[in-house]
Amino acid sequence: MLTDLYSFVVSDDMSGLDADRAAAIATIRSMIGTQMYPLTLREGTVPPALTYQLIDNGADHTLDGANDGLFHPRVQIDSFALRYVDLITLSDAVRIALDGFIGFIGPGLTDVNVLIWDNEMDTYEPDRKEFRKTLDFRVIHN
């Protein structure tokens, strides 16, 4: 599912997306290129860039212990930028691109019932002199 989310954000194919979501993905791509990495920025990465990670897997269980086939993992996407204004532009584009999305994403064709923006937090990385915004999303899928 994380690989599919990555592919959705950095893909050139925006067919079937509404104009706002397509424009947001175009903004992300113009700012980061393909600088979107799992867990942490690669050594030498010059922002703007994104990282992504799974926070929890969100599997539902019934009283008999079985999973009912619906998952709602929480995914964190961090935006990094050298200037705060760029951070806001990038993180707003990520939120617009993902929040409320319904459909299939990525080469694995994860069937997303809905992607829901859940939380955000601003921080500053003094060692790297970078601004950072953390966005949390619930990815409800089968």
Side-chain angles (χ1 to χ4, degrees), residues 51-127:
T51 61
Y52 60 94
Q53 64 181 317
L54 180 67
I55 301 301
D56 69 58
N57 71 3
D60 282 336
H61 295 280
T62 62
L63 291 176
D64 67 3
N67 180 291
D68 64 2
L70 187 64
F71 300 90
H72 51 88
R74 185 164 49 112
V75 174
Q76 179 177 302
I77 298 181
D78 290 335
S79 302
F80 296 86
L82 299 176
R83 299 182 323 149
Y84 190 71
V85 66
D86 295 332
L87 179 74
I88 297 305
T89 300
L90 179 57
S91 61
D92 282 353
V94 169
R95 182 183 45 76
I96 291 166
L98 298 179
D99 187 35
F101 177 80
I102 298 170
F104 292 93
I105 60 171
L109 294 178
T110 298
D111 182 6
V112 175
N113 295 356
V114 67
L115 248 158
I116 301 169
W117 171 47
D118 191 38
N119 193 28
E120 70 178 68
M121 179 179 67
D122 288 357
T123 56
Y124 182 73
E125 304 287 335
D127 295 343

Side-chain angles (χ1 to χ4, degrees), residues 4-41:
D4 289 341
L5 185 62
Y6 165 84
S7 296
F8 178 72
V9 172
V10 300
S11 174
D12 287 327
D13 181 13
M14 292 184 266
S15 59
L17 298 179
D18 63 72
D20 290 341
R21 202 173 308 281
I25 290 175
T27 297
I28 295 166
R29 295 225 23 174
S30 72
M31 292 184 77
I32 71 164
T34 58
Q35 290 193 128
M36 185 173 180
Y37 307 108
L39 302 177
T40 186
L41 294 177

